[in-house]
PDB file of all heavy atoms in Angstrom:
ATOM      1  N   GLU P 297     -30.463   8.850   6.460  1.00 81.00           N
ATOM      2  CA  GLU P 297     -30.765   9.954   5.551  1.00 81.00           C
ATOM      3  C   GLU P 297     -31.564   9.504   4.338  1.00 81.00           C
ATOM      4  O   GLU P 297     -32.302  10.289   3.738  1.00 81.00           O
ATOM      5  CB  GLU P 297     -29.473  10.627   5.107  1.00 81.00           C
ATOM      6  CG  GLU P 297     -28.738  11.369   6.215  1.00 81.00           C
ATOM      7  CD  GLU P 297     -27.393  11.897   5.744  1.00 81.00           C
ATOM      8  OE1 GLU P 297     -26.619  11.120   5.147  1.00 81.00           O
ATOM      9  OE2 GLU P 297     -27.142  13.091   5.958  1.00 81.00           O
ATOM     10  N   LEU P 298     -31.444   8.246   3.962  1.00 91.00           N
ATOM     11  CA  LEU P 298     -32.172   7.750   2.802  1.00 91.00           C
ATOM     12  C   LEU P 298     -33.673   7.878   2.981  1.00 91.00           C
ATOM     13  O   LEU P 298     -34.406   8.147   2.029  1.00 91.00           O
ATOM     14  CB  LEU P 298     -31.830   6.274   2.548  1.00 91.00           C
ATOM     15  CG  LEU P 298     -30.445   5.943   1.999  1.00 91.00           C
ATOM     16  CD1 LEU P 298     -30.327   4.453   1.811  1.00 91.00           C
ATOM     17  CD2 LEU P 298     -30.185   6.671   0.695  1.00 91.00           C
ATOM     18  N   SER P 299     -34.154   7.670   4.190  1.00 88.00           N
ATOM     19  CA  SER P 299     -35.598   7.667   4.426  1.00 88.00           C
ATOM     20  C   SER P 299     -36.228   9.037   4.179  1.00 88.00           C
ATOM     21  O   SER P 299     -37.444   9.129   3.980  1.00 88.00           O
ATOM     22  CB  SER P 299     -35.901   7.207   5.849  1.00 88.00           C
ATOM     23  OG  SER P 299     -35.346   8.105   6.791  1.00 88.00           O
ATOM     24  N   ASN P 300     -35.413  10.086   4.165  1.00 89.00           N
ATOM     25  CA  ASN P 300     -35.946  11.433   3.945  1.00 89.00           C
ATOM     26  C   ASN P 300     -35.711  11.963   2.526  1.00 89.00           C
ATOM     27  O   ASN P 300     -36.180  13.041   2.185  1.00 89.00           O
ATOM     28  CB  ASN P 300     -35.312  12.411   4.942  1.00 89.00           C
ATOM     29  CG  ASN P 300     -35.671  12.087   6.375  1.00 89.00           C
ATOM     30  OD1 ASN P 300     -36.823  11.775   6.666  1.00 89.00           O
ATOM     31  ND2 ASN P 300     -34.685  12.145   7.265  1.00 89.00           N
ATOM     32  N   ARG P 301     -35.003  11.191   1.733  1.00 93.00           N
ATOM     33  CA  ARG P 301     -34.662  11.656   0.390  1.00 93.00           C
ATOM     34  C   ARG P 301     -35.752  11.284  -0.611  1.00 93.00           C
ATOM     35  O   ARG P 301     -36.321  10.185  -0.550  1.00 93.00           O
ATOM     36  CB  ARG P 301     -33.329  11.061  -0.057  1.00 93.00           C
ATOM     37  CG  ARG P 301     -32.930  11.469  -1.471  1.00 93.00           C
ATOM     38  CD  ARG P 301     -31.508  11.118  -1.780  1.00 93.00           C
ATOM     39  NE  ARG P 301     -31.197  11.372  -3.184  1.00 93.00           N
ATOM     40  CZ  ARG P 301     -30.008  11.189  -3.730  1.00 93.00           C
ATOM     41  NH1 ARG P 301     -29.005  10.775  -2.983  1.00 93.00           N
ATOM     42  NH2 ARG P 301     -29.811  11.434  -5.013  1.00 93.00           N
ATOM     43  N   GLN P 302     -36.044  12.178  -1.538  1.00 94.00           N
ATOM     44  CA  GLN P 302     -37.032  11.923  -2.583  1.00 94.00           C
ATOM     45  C   GLN P 302     -36.309  11.538  -3.877  1.00 94.00           C
ATOM     46  O   GLN P 302     -35.792  12.398  -4.585  1.00 94.00           O
ATOM     47  CB  GLN P 302     -37.904  13.155  -2.798  1.00 94.00           C
ATOM     48  CG  GLN P 302     -38.829  13.464  -1.644  1.00 94.00           C
ATOM     49  CD  GLN P 302     -39.791  12.323  -1.353  1.00 94.00           C
ATOM     50  OE1 GLN P 302     -40.394  11.753  -2.262  1.00 94.00           O
ATOM     51  NE2 GLN P 302     -39.939  11.990  -0.075  1.00 94.00           N
ATOM     52  N   PHE P 303     -36.269  10.259  -4.172  1.00 97.00           N
ATOM     53  CA  PHE P 303     -35.635   9.787  -5.396  1.00 97.00           C
ATOM     54  C   PHE P 303     -36.580   9.980  -6.586  1.00 97.00           C
ATOM     55  O   PHE P 303     -37.797   9.875  -6.461  1.00 97.00           O
ATOM     56  CB  PHE P 303     -35.243   8.322  -5.256  1.00 97.00           C
ATOM     57  CG  PHE P 303     -34.176   8.081  -4.234  1.00 97.00           C
ATOM     58  CD1 PHE P 303     -34.508   7.649  -2.945  1.00 97.00           C
ATOM     59  CD2 PHE P 303     -32.848   8.321  -4.529  1.00 97.00           C
ATOM     60  CE1 PHE P 303     -33.530   7.441  -2.003  1.00 97.00           C
ATOM     61  CE2 PHE P 303     -31.856   8.117  -3.582  1.00 97.00           C
ATOM     62  CZ  PHE P 303     -32.206   7.681  -2.312  1.00 97.00           C
ATOM     63  N   GLU P 304     -35.988  10.270  -7.740  1.00 98.00           N
ATOM     64  CA  GLU P 304     -36.787  10.574  -8.930  1.00 98.00           C
ATOM     65  C   GLU P 304     -36.718   9.503 -10.001  1.00 98.00           C
ATOM     66  O   GLU P 304     -37.654   9.359 -10.785  1.00 98.00           O
ATOM     67  CB  GLU P 304     -36.327  11.907  -9.520  1.00 98.00           C
ATOM     68  CG  GLU P 304     -36.531  13.097  -8.584  1.00 98.00           C
ATOM     69  CD  GLU P 304     -36.063  14.391  -9.196  1.00 98.00           C
ATOM     70  OE1 GLU P 304     -35.489  14.351 -10.320  1.00 98.00           O
ATOM     71  OE2 GLU P 304     -36.249  15.449  -8.570  1.00 98.00           O
ATOM     72  N   ARG P 305     -35.627   8.733 -10.052  1.00 98.00           N
ATOM     73  CA  ARG P 305     -35.462   7.701 -11.070  1.00 98.00           C
ATOM     74  C   ARG P 305     -34.937   6.446 -10.392  1.00 98.00           C
ATOM     75  O   ARG P 305     -33.800   6.417  -9.914  1.00 98.00           O
ATOM     76  CB  ARG P 305     -34.533   8.166 -12.191  1.00 98.00           C
ATOM     77  CG  ARG P 305     -35.009   9.450 -12.889  1.00 98.00           C
ATOM     78  CD  ARG P 305     -34.150   9.791 -14.085  1.00 98.00           C
ATOM     79  NE  ARG P 305     -34.293   8.811 -15.160  1.00 98.00           N
ATOM     80  CZ  ARG P 305     -35.262   8.840 -16.066  1.00 98.00           C
ATOM     81  NH1 ARG P 305     -36.190   9.786 -16.033  1.00 98.00           N
ATOM     82  NH2 ARG P 305     -35.316   7.932 -17.013  1.00 98.00           N
ATOM     83  N   ILE P 306     -35.781   5.410 -10.373  1.00 98.00           N
ATOM     84  CA  ILE P 306     -35.516   4.219  -9.573  1.00 98.00           C
ATOM     85  C   ILE P 306     -35.516   2.992 -10.477  1.00 98.00           C
ATOM     86  O   ILE P 306     -36.383   2.839 -11.343  1.00 98.00           O
ATOM     87  CB  ILE P 306     -36.586   4.049  -8.468  1.00 98.00           C
ATOM     88  CG1 ILE P 306     -36.604   5.287  -7.553  1.00 98.00           C
ATOM     89  CG2 ILE P 306     -36.348   2.778  -7.654  1.00 98.00           C
ATOM     90  CD1 ILE P 306     -37.783   5.323  -6.603  1.00 98.00           C
ATOM     91  N   LEU P 307     -34.544   2.116 -10.258  1.00 98.00           N
ATOM     92  CA  LEU P 307     -34.496   0.833 -10.969  1.00 98.00           C
ATOM     93  C   LEU P 307     -34.530  -0.294  -9.951  1.00 98.00           C
ATOM     94  O   LEU P 307     -33.756  -0.311  -8.995  1.00 98.00           O
ATOM     95  CB  LEU P 307     -33.228   0.722 -11.812  1.00 98.00           C
ATOM     96  CG  LEU P 307     -33.016  -0.639 -12.501  1.00 98.00           C
ATOM     97  CD1 LEU P 307     -34.094  -0.884 -13.549  1.00 98.00           C
ATOM     98  CD2 LEU P 307     -31.630  -0.730 -13.134  1.00 98.00           C
ATOM     99  N   LEU P 308     -35.435  -1.240 -10.171  1.00 98.00           N
ATOM    100  CA  LEU P 308     -35.537  -2.442  -9.345  1.00 98.00           C
ATOM    101  C   LEU P 308     -34.985  -3.610 -10.147  1.00 98.00           C
ATOM    102  O   LEU P 308     -35.413  -3.855 -11.288  1.00 98.00           O
ATOM    103  CB  LEU P 308     -37.005  -2.683  -8.976  1.00 98.00           C
ATOM    104  CG  LEU P 308     -37.358  -3.865  -8.073  1.00 98.00           C
ATOM    105  CD1 LEU P 308     -36.635  -3.773  -6.735  1.00 98.00           C
ATOM    106  CD2 LEU P 308     -38.868  -3.926  -7.867  1.00 98.00           C
ATOM    107  N   ILE P 309     -34.028  -4.328  -9.582  1.00 98.00           N
ATOM    108  CA  ILE P 309     -33.419  -5.475 -10.263  1.00 98.00           C
ATOM    109  C   ILE P 309     -33.829  -6.759  -9.549  1.00 98.00           C
ATOM    110  O   ILE P 309     -33.422  -7.021  -8.413  1.00 98.00           O
ATOM    111  CB  ILE P 309     -31.881  -5.355 -10.306  1.00 98.00           C
ATOM    112  CG1 ILE P 309     -31.467  -4.122 -11.107  1.00 98.00           C
ATOM    113  CG2 ILE P 309     -31.262  -6.613 -10.913  1.00 98.00           C
ATOM    114  CD1 ILE P 309     -29.958  -3.919 -11.185  1.00 98.00           C
ATOM    115  N   LYS P 310     -34.665  -7.514 -10.184  1.00 97.00           N
ATOM    116  CA  LYS P 310     -35.064  -8.862  -9.753  1.00 97.00           C
ATOM    117  C   LYS P 310     -35.657  -9.521 -10.987  1.00 97.00           C
ATOM    118  O   LYS P 310     -36.875  -9.573 -11.175  1.00 97.00           O
ATOM    119  CB  LYS P 310     -36.088  -8.791  -8.618  1.00 97.00           C
ATOM    120  CG  LYS P 310     -36.393 -10.155  -8.004  1.00 97.00           C
ATOM    121  CD  LYS P 310     -35.180 -10.713  -7.272  1.00 97.00           C
ATOM    122  CE  LYS P 310     -35.562 -11.905  -6.434  1.00 97.00           C
ATOM    123  NZ  LYS P 310     -34.397 -12.514  -5.759  1.00 97.00           N
ATOM    124  N   PRO P 311     -34.804 -10.041 -11.892  1.00 97.00           N
ATOM    125  CA  PRO P 311     -35.278 -10.473 -13.210  1.00 97.00           C
ATOM    126  C   PRO P 311     -36.050 -11.786 -13.221  1.00 97.00           C
ATOM    127  O   PRO P 311     -36.914 -11.989 -14.065  1.00 97.00           O
ATOM    128  CB  PRO P 311     -33.982 -10.587 -14.017  1.00 97.00           C
ATOM    129  CG  PRO P 311     -32.911 -10.804 -12.999  1.00 97.00           C
ATOM    130  CD  PRO P 311     -33.337 -10.077 -11.765  1.00 97.00           C
ATOM    131  N   SER P 312     -35.745 -12.684 -12.314  1.00 92.00           N
ATOM    132  CA  SER P 312     -36.349 -14.009 -12.289  1.00 92.00           C
ATOM    133  C   SER P 312     -36.045 -14.615 -10.908  1.00 92.00           C
ATOM    134  O   SER P 312     -35.343 -13.984 -10.110  1.00 92.00           O
ATOM    135  CB  SER P 312     -35.753 -14.876 -13.415  1.00 92.00           C
ATOM    136  OG  SER P 312     -34.340 -15.008 -13.231  1.00 92.00           O
ATOM    137  N   ALA P 313     -36.555 -15.776 -10.581  1.00 90.00           N
ATOM    138  CA  ALA P 313     -37.527 -16.613 -11.254  1.00 90.00           C
ATOM    139  C   ALA P 313     -38.927 -16.130 -10.912  1.00 90.00           C
ATOM    140  O   ALA P 313     -39.090 -15.179 -10.144  1.00 90.00           O
ATOM    141  CB  ALA P 313     -37.341 -18.064 -10.816  1.00 90.00           C
ATOM    142  N   LEU P 314     -39.946 -16.816 -11.459  1.00 96.00           N
ATOM    143  CA  LEU P 314     -41.312 -16.339 -11.315  1.00 96.00           C
ATOM    144  C   LEU P 314     -41.696 -16.150  -9.850  1.00 96.00           C
ATOM    145  O   LEU P 314     -42.241 -15.094  -9.481  1.00 96.00           O
ATOM    146  CB  LEU P 314     -42.278 -17.314 -11.989  1.00 96.00           C
ATOM    147  CG  LEU P 314     -43.763 -16.965 -11.885  1.00 96.00           C
ATOM    148  CD1 LEU P 314     -44.045 -15.581 -12.464  1.00 96.00           C
ATOM    149  CD2 LEU P 314     -44.607 -18.028 -12.591  1.00 96.00           C
ATOM    150  N   GLY P 315     -41.421 -17.135  -9.006  1.00 96.00           N
ATOM    151  CA  GLY P 315     -41.770 -17.005  -7.594  1.00 96.00           C
ATOM    152  C   GLY P 315     -41.052 -15.858  -6.923  1.00 96.00           C
ATOM    153  O   GLY P 315     -41.650 -15.100  -6.141  1.00 96.00           O
ATOM    154  N   ASP P 316     -39.774 -15.691  -7.222  1.00 96.00           N
ATOM    155  CA  ASP P 316     -38.995 -14.596  -6.638  1.00 96.00           C
ATOM    156  C   ASP P 316     -39.533 -13.242  -7.078  1.00 96.00           C
ATOM    157  O   ASP P 316     -39.566 -12.280  -6.297  1.00 96.00           O
ATOM    158  CB  ASP P 316     -37.526 -14.715  -7.040  1.00 96.00           C
ATOM    159  CG  ASP P 316     -36.851 -15.936  -6.457  1.00 96.00           C
ATOM    160  OD1 ASP P 316     -37.344 -16.448  -5.437  1.00 96.00           O
ATOM    161  OD2 ASP P 316     -35.840 -16.389  -7.020  1.00 96.00           O
ATOM    162  N   VAL P 317     -39.946 -13.153  -8.340  1.00 98.00           N
ATOM    163  CA  VAL P 317     -40.493 -11.896  -8.841  1.00 98.00           C
ATOM    164  C   VAL P 317     -41.822 -11.588  -8.158  1.00 98.00           C
ATOM    165  O   VAL P 317     -42.088 -10.446  -7.766  1.00 98.00           O
ATOM    166  CB  VAL P 317     -40.660 -11.960 -10.377  1.00 98.00           C
ATOM    167  CG1 VAL P 317     -41.467 -10.776 -10.890  1.00 98.00           C
ATOM    168  CG2 VAL P 317     -39.290 -11.985 -11.049  1.00 98.00           C
ATOM    169  N   ILE P 318     -42.661 -12.601  -7.992  1.00 98.00           N
ATOM    170  CA  ILE P 318     -43.933 -12.398  -7.284  1.00 98.00           C
ATOM    171  C   ILE P 318     -43.674 -11.912  -5.864  1.00 98.00           C
ATOM    172  O   ILE P 318     -44.372 -11.023  -5.360  1.00 98.00           O
ATOM    173  CB  ILE P 318     -44.760 -13.693  -7.295  1.00 98.00           C
ATOM    174  CG1 ILE P 318     -45.253 -13.993  -8.710  1.00 98.00           C
ATOM    175  CG2 ILE P 318     -45.938 -13.602  -6.328  1.00 98.00           C
ATOM    176  CD1 ILE P 318     -45.901 -15.348  -8.877  1.00 98.00           C
ATOM    177  N   HIS P 319     -42.652 -12.464  -5.206  1.00 98.00           N
ATOM    178  CA  HIS P 319     -42.314 -12.022  -3.850  1.00 98.00           C
ATOM    179  C   HIS P 319     -41.861 -10.561  -3.815  1.00 98.00           C
ATOM    180  O   HIS P 319     -41.913  -9.912  -2.763  1.00 98.00           O
ATOM    181  CB  HIS P 319     -41.194 -12.901  -3.286  1.00 98.00           C
ATOM    182  CG  HIS P 319     -41.623 -14.307  -3.027  1.00 98.00           C
ATOM    183  ND1 HIS P 319     -40.734 -15.356  -2.946  1.00 98.00           N
ATOM    184  CD2 HIS P 319     -42.856 -14.845  -2.834  1.00 98.00           C
ATOM    185  CE1 HIS P 319     -41.404 -16.477  -2.712  1.00 98.00           C
ATOM    186  NE2 HIS P 319     -42.686 -16.183  -2.639  1.00 98.00           N
ATOM    187  N   THR P 320     -41.408 -10.053  -4.951  1.00 98.00           N
ATOM    188  CA  THR P 320     -40.895  -8.690  -5.016  1.00 98.00           C
ATOM    189  C   THR P 320     -41.984  -7.671  -5.339  1.00 98.00           C
ATOM    190  O   THR P 320     -41.792  -6.468  -5.133  1.00 98.00           O
ATOM    191  CB  THR P 320     -39.766  -8.611  -6.069  1.00 98.00           C
ATOM    192  OG1 THR P 320     -38.803  -9.642  -5.812  1.00 98.00           O
ATOM    193  CG2 THR P 320     -39.038  -7.280  -6.039  1.00 98.00           C
ATOM    194  N   VAL P 321     -43.126  -8.130  -5.827  1.00 98.00           N
ATOM    195  CA  VAL P 321     -44.210  -7.210  -6.187  1.00 98.00           C
ATOM    196  C   VAL P 321     -44.593  -6.292  -5.029  1.00 98.00           C
ATOM    197  O   VAL P 321     -44.802  -5.079  -5.239  1.00 98.00           O
ATOM    198  CB  VAL P 321     -45.423  -7.990  -6.725  1.00 98.00           C
ATOM    199  CG1 VAL P 321     -46.661  -7.096  -6.818  1.00 98.00           C
ATOM    200  CG2 VAL P 321     -45.113  -8.596  -8.091  1.00 98.00           C
ATOM    201  N   PRO P 322     -44.693  -6.790  -3.773  1.00 98.00           N
ATOM    202  CA  PRO P 322     -45.019  -5.855  -2.683  1.00 98.00           C
ATOM    203  C   PRO P 322     -43.988  -4.737  -2.510  1.00 98.00           C
ATOM    204  O   PRO P 322     -44.349  -3.628  -2.091  1.00 98.00           O
ATOM    205  CB  PRO P 322     -45.059  -6.765  -1.446  1.00 98.00           C
ATOM    206  CG  PRO P 322     -45.433  -8.107  -1.980  1.00 98.00           C
ATOM    207  CD  PRO P 322     -44.722  -8.197  -3.300  1.00 98.00           C
ATOM    208  N   VAL P 323     -42.727  -4.993  -2.832  1.00 98.00           N
ATOM    209  CA  VAL P 323     -41.713  -3.939  -2.786  1.00 98.00           C
ATOM    210  C   VAL P 323     -42.020  -2.879  -3.828  1.00 98.00           C
ATOM    211  O   VAL P 323     -41.931  -1.677  -3.559  1.00 98.00           O
ATOM    212  CB  VAL P 323     -40.303  -4.526  -2.997  1.00 98.00           C
ATOM    213  CG1 VAL P 323     -39.264  -3.413  -3.128  1.00 98.00           C
ATOM    214  CG2 VAL P 323     -39.933  -5.470  -1.858  1.00 98.00           C
ATOM    215  N   LEU P 324     -42.375  -3.299  -5.023  1.00 98.00           N
ATOM    216  CA  LEU P 324     -42.759  -2.353  -6.075  1.00 98.00           C
ATOM    217  C   LEU P 324     -43.907  -1.465  -5.615  1.00 98.00           C
ATOM    218  O   LEU P 324     -43.875  -0.242  -5.802  1.00 98.00           O
ATOM    219  CB  LEU P 324     -43.156  -3.126  -7.332  1.00 98.00           C
ATOM    220  CG  LEU P 324     -43.777  -2.298  -8.461  1.00 98.00           C
ATOM    221  CD1 LEU P 324     -42.749  -1.376  -9.088  1.00 98.00           C
ATOM    222  CD2 LEU P 324     -44.398  -3.220  -9.505  1.00 98.00           C
ATOM    223  N   VAL P 325     -44.915  -2.078  -5.021  1.00 98.00           N
ATOM    224  CA  VAL P 325     -46.083  -1.311  -4.559  1.00 98.00           C
ATOM    225  C   VAL P 325     -45.663  -0.287  -3.506  1.00 98.00           C
ATOM    226  O   VAL P 325     -46.088   0.876  -3.540  1.00 98.00           O
ATOM    227  CB  VAL P 325     -47.153  -2.259  -3.998  1.00 98.00           C
ATOM    228  CG1 VAL P 325     -48.311  -1.468  -3.385  1.00 98.00           C
ATOM    229  CG2 VAL P 325     -47.674  -3.191  -5.091  1.00 98.00           C
ATOM    230  N   LYS P 326     -44.808  -0.697  -2.578  1.00 98.00           N
ATOM    231  CA  LYS P 326     -44.345   0.220  -1.529  1.00 98.00           C
ATOM    232  C   LYS P 326     -43.506   1.351  -2.120  1.00 98.00           C
ATOM    233  O   LYS P 326     -43.590   2.501  -1.656  1.00 98.00           O
ATOM    234  CB  LYS P 326     -43.520  -0.545  -0.496  1.00 98.00           C
ATOM    235  CG  LYS P 326     -44.257  -1.647   0.232  1.00 98.00           C
ATOM    236  CD  LYS P 326     -45.146  -1.108   1.323  1.00 98.00           C
ATOM    237  CE  LYS P 326     -45.699  -2.249   2.167  1.00 98.00           C
ATOM    238  NZ  LYS P 326     -46.623  -1.764   3.210  1.00 98.00           N
ATOM    239  N   LEU P 327     -42.700   1.033  -3.117  1.00 98.00           N
ATOM    240  CA  LEU P 327     -41.910   2.081  -3.766  1.00 98.00           C
ATOM    241  C   LEU P 327     -42.809   3.128  -4.416  1.00 98.00           C
ATOM    242  O   LEU P 327     -42.557   4.328  -4.312  1.00 98.00           O
ATOM    243  CB  LEU P 327     -40.984   1.467  -4.822  1.00 98.00           C
ATOM    244  CG  LEU P 327     -39.737   0.745  -4.332  1.00 98.00           C
ATOM    245  CD1 LEU P 327     -39.079  -0.014  -5.480  1.00 98.00           C
ATOM    246  CD2 LEU P 327     -38.751   1.723  -3.700  1.00 98.00           C
ATOM    247  N   ARG P 328     -43.870   2.670  -5.079  1.00 98.00           N
ATOM    248  CA  ARG P 328     -44.777   3.615  -5.719  1.00 98.00           C
ATOM    249  C   ARG P 328     -45.502   4.466  -4.683  1.00 98.00           C
ATOM    250  O   ARG P 328     -45.701   5.680  -4.884  1.00 98.00           O
ATOM    251  CB  ARG P 328     -45.777   2.856  -6.596  1.00 98.00           C
ATOM    252  CG  ARG P 328     -46.808   3.737  -7.267  1.00 98.00           C
ATOM    253  CD  ARG P 328     -46.174   4.875  -8.058  1.00 98.00           C
ATOM    254  NE  ARG P 328     -45.475   4.402  -9.249  1.00 98.00           N
ATOM    255  CZ  ARG P 328     -44.555   5.101  -9.887  1.00 98.00           C
ATOM    256  NH1 ARG P 328     -44.185   6.307  -9.436  1.00 98.00           N
ATOM    257  NH2 ARG P 328     -43.963   4.610 -10.954  1.00 98.00           N
ATOM    258  N   GLN P 329     -45.872   3.870  -3.551  1.00 97.00           N
ATOM    259  CA  GLN P 329     -46.517   4.647  -2.485  1.00 97.00           C
ATOM    260  C   GLN P 329     -45.556   5.684  -1.911  1.00 97.00           C
ATOM    261  O   GLN P 329     -45.947   6.814  -1.639  1.00 97.00           O
ATOM    262  CB  GLN P 329     -47.000   3.705  -1.375  1.00 97.00           C
ATOM    263  CG  GLN P 329     -48.147   2.795  -1.778  1.00 97.00           C
ATOM    264  CD  GLN P 329     -48.449   1.743  -0.729  1.00 97.00           C
ATOM    265  OE1 GLN P 329     -47.652   1.502   0.191  1.00 97.00           O
ATOM    266  NE2 GLN P 329     -49.602   1.099  -0.845  1.00 97.00           N
ATOM    267  N   ARG P 330     -44.300   5.284  -1.766  1.00 97.00           N
ATOM    268  CA  ARG P 330     -43.304   6.175  -1.161  1.00 97.00           C
ATOM    269  C   ARG P 330     -42.870   7.270  -2.127  1.00 97.00           C
ATOM    270  O   ARG P 330     -42.595   8.404  -1.704  1.00 97.00           O
ATOM    271  CB  ARG P 330     -42.091   5.338  -0.720  1.00 97.00           C
ATOM    272  CG  ARG P 330     -40.928   6.125  -0.146  1.00 97.00           C
ATOM    273  CD  ARG P 330     -41.265   6.784   1.178  1.00 97.00           C
ATOM    274  NE  ARG P 330     -40.109   7.505   1.687  1.00 97.00           N
ATOM    275  CZ  ARG P 330     -39.767   8.738   1.311  1.00 97.00           C
ATOM    276  NH1 ARG P 330     -40.504   9.391   0.409  1.00 97.00           N
ATOM    277  NH2 ARG P 330     -38.699   9.320   1.820  1.00 97.00           N
ATOM    278  N   TYR P 331     -42.787   6.953  -3.417  1.00 98.00           N
ATOM    279  CA  TYR P 331     -42.321   7.919  -4.421  1.00 98.00           C
ATOM    280  C   TYR P 331     -43.355   8.000  -5.550  1.00 98.00           C
ATOM    281  O   TYR P 331     -43.129   7.484  -6.652  1.00 98.00           O
ATOM    282  CB  TYR P 331     -40.961   7.493  -4.975  1.00 98.00           C
ATOM    283  CG  TYR P 331     -39.939   7.178  -3.915  1.00 98.00           C
ATOM    284  CD1 TYR P 331     -39.611   5.857  -3.608  1.00 98.00           C
ATOM    285  CD2 TYR P 331     -39.297   8.197  -3.208  1.00 98.00           C
ATOM    286  CE1 TYR P 331     -38.673   5.567  -2.629  1.00 98.00           C
ATOM    287  CE2 TYR P 331     -38.359   7.914  -2.226  1.00 98.00           C
ATOM    288  CZ  TYR P 331     -38.053   6.593  -1.941  1.00 98.00           C
ATOM    289  OH  TYR P 331     -37.128   6.298  -0.958  1.00 98.00           O
ATOM    290  N   PRO P 332     -44.485   8.632  -5.300  1.00 98.00           N
ATOM    291  CA  PRO P 332     -45.589   8.600  -6.275  1.00 98.00           C
ATOM    292  C   PRO P 332     -45.266   9.249  -7.613  1.00 98.00           C
ATOM    293  O   PRO P 332     -45.879   8.900  -8.628  1.00 98.00           O
ATOM    294  CB  PRO P 332     -46.721   9.354  -5.550  1.00 98.00           C
ATOM    295  CG  PRO P 332     -46.038  10.169  -4.486  1.00 98.00           C
ATOM    296  CD  PRO P 332     -44.843   9.388  -4.080  1.00 98.00           C
ATOM    297  N   GLN P 333     -44.330  10.183  -7.662  1.00 97.00           N
ATOM    298  CA  GLN P 333     -44.009  10.880  -8.898  1.00 97.00           C
ATOM    299  C   GLN P 333     -42.759  10.339  -9.596  1.00 97.00           C
ATOM    300  O   GLN P 333     -42.383  10.830 -10.659  1.00 97.00           O
ATOM    301  CB  GLN P 333     -43.804  12.377  -8.609  1.00 97.00           C
ATOM    302  CG  GLN P 333     -44.993  13.050  -7.941  1.00 97.00           C
ATOM    303  CD  GLN P 333     -46.270  12.905  -8.753  1.00 97.00           C
ATOM    304  OE1 GLN P 333     -46.255  13.028  -9.974  1.00 97.00           O
ATOM    305  NE2 GLN P 333     -47.379  12.641  -8.058  1.00 97.00           N
ATOM    306  N   ALA P 334     -42.136   9.337  -9.013  1.00 98.00           N
ATOM    307  CA  ALA P 334     -40.856   8.853  -9.543  1.00 98.00           C
ATOM    308  C   ALA P 334     -41.051   7.992 -10.790  1.00 98.00           C
ATOM    309  O   ALA P 334     -42.106   7.395 -11.008  1.00 98.00           O
ATOM    310  CB  ALA P 334     -40.115   8.055  -8.478  1.00 98.00           C
ATOM    311  N   GLN P 335     -39.998   7.942 -11.603  1.00 98.00           N
ATOM    312  CA  GLN P 335     -39.903   6.962 -12.685  1.00 98.00           C
ATOM    313  C   GLN P 335     -39.394   5.679 -12.049  1.00 98.00           C
ATOM    314  O   GLN P 335     -38.298   5.639 -11.494  1.00 98.00           O
ATOM    315  CB  GLN P 335     -38.923   7.446 -13.748  1.00 98.00           C
ATOM    316  CG  GLN P 335     -38.488   6.386 -14.755  1.00 98.00           C
ATOM    317  CD  GLN P 335     -39.345   6.361 -15.999  1.00 98.00           C
ATOM    318  OE1 GLN P 335     -40.075   7.305 -16.249  1.00 98.00           O
ATOM    319  NE2 GLN P 335     -39.254   5.282 -16.758  1.00 98.00           N
TER     320      GLN P 335
END
């Protein structure tokens, strides 16, 4: 059911380290594509 839900306020938690955060950037991009109007 999650795949069909439109979330409006999203928090991503991955504070560090630098390499781990860089690895998470593609997730951020996908989240924005999936929820273009979300915070």
Side-chain angles (χ1 to χ4, degrees):
E297 292 174 311
L298 288 181
S299 63
N300 296 317
R301 178 168 173 178
Q302 291 300 314
F303 294 99
E304 297 180 355
R305 302 186 67 84
I306 301 169
L307 175 66
L308 182 58
I309 297 179
K310 188 67 168 177
S312 60
L314 178 57
D316 294 337
V317 169
I318 291 171
H319 292 158
T320 309
V321 168
V323 173
L324 171 69
V325 174
K326 299 282 189 183
L327 284 170
R328 178 54 70 199
Q329 292 171 346
R330 176 67 179 83
Y331 309 104
Q333 303 303 319
Q335 166 93 16

